Amino acid sequence: MEITSSRIPNVVYTGVVIQYKNQIEKFTEVTTVYMGRLTQEEIEAYVDTGEPMGKAGAYGIQGIASTFVERIEGDFNNVIGLPLYRLTEKLKELVLTETSNSS
């Protein structure tokens, strides 16, 4: 019997707050993960590996569970824990704004 469905995604939200000198930037990144269909036996075997323990969502997308992922919409790094691209872009904006204001 298959018990997971790609029609029921896992939605990952990460809130980020950056304080740089007197500026504060806030944003939320959203990534949607669609798992393929898994049987009860596949899920139990995955749990037995210990990988899902202590993980938000009970899977590690960068590990064994990557083989269960049908597709993602959004930032892969957000699922791991931090939306690096958007964070880097915001940091560059903050520094460039400061540089242009001090010229």
Side-chain angles (χ1 to χ4, degrees), residues 46-57:
Y46 177 61
V47 170
D48 287 345
T49 70
E51 182 179 271
M53 306 310 170
K55 295 205 172 31

Side-chain angles (χ1 to χ4, degrees), residues 32-103:
T32 305
V33 181
Y34 296 87
M35 296 291 191
R37 294 181 179 269
L38 300 172
T39 64
Q40 182 69 35
E41 292 78 23
E42 290 171 313
I43 292 169
E44 289 174 4
Y46 177 61
V47 170
D48 287 345
T49 70
E51 182 179 271
M53 306 310 170
K55 295 205 172 31
Y59 67 94
I61 197 169
Q62 71 278 27
I64 298 166
S66 65
T67 63
F68 309 146
V69 176
E70 183 179 303
R71 72 182 191 281
I72 69 169
E73 294 172 359
D75 185 346
F76 175 81
N77 288 307
N78 188 45
V79 181
I80 295 172
L82 192 62
L84 294 175
Y85 178 79
R86 191 160 176 201
L87 174 61
T88 301
E89 291 301 302
K90 287 289 184 187
L91 291 170
K92 288 191 292 188
E93 284 176 27
L94 287 168
V95 172
L96 290 175
T97 300
E98 178 191 43
T99 304
S100 66
N101 287 342
S102 64
S103 298

Side-chain angles (χ1 to χ4, degrees), residues 18-25 93-95 97-99 101:
I18 305 165
Q19 180 176 355
Y20 179 72
K21 298 188 179 179
N22 64 345
Q23 299 177 70
I24 296 178
E25 286 286 330
E93 284 176 27
L94 287 168
V95 172
T97 300
E98 178 191 43
T99 304
N101 287 342

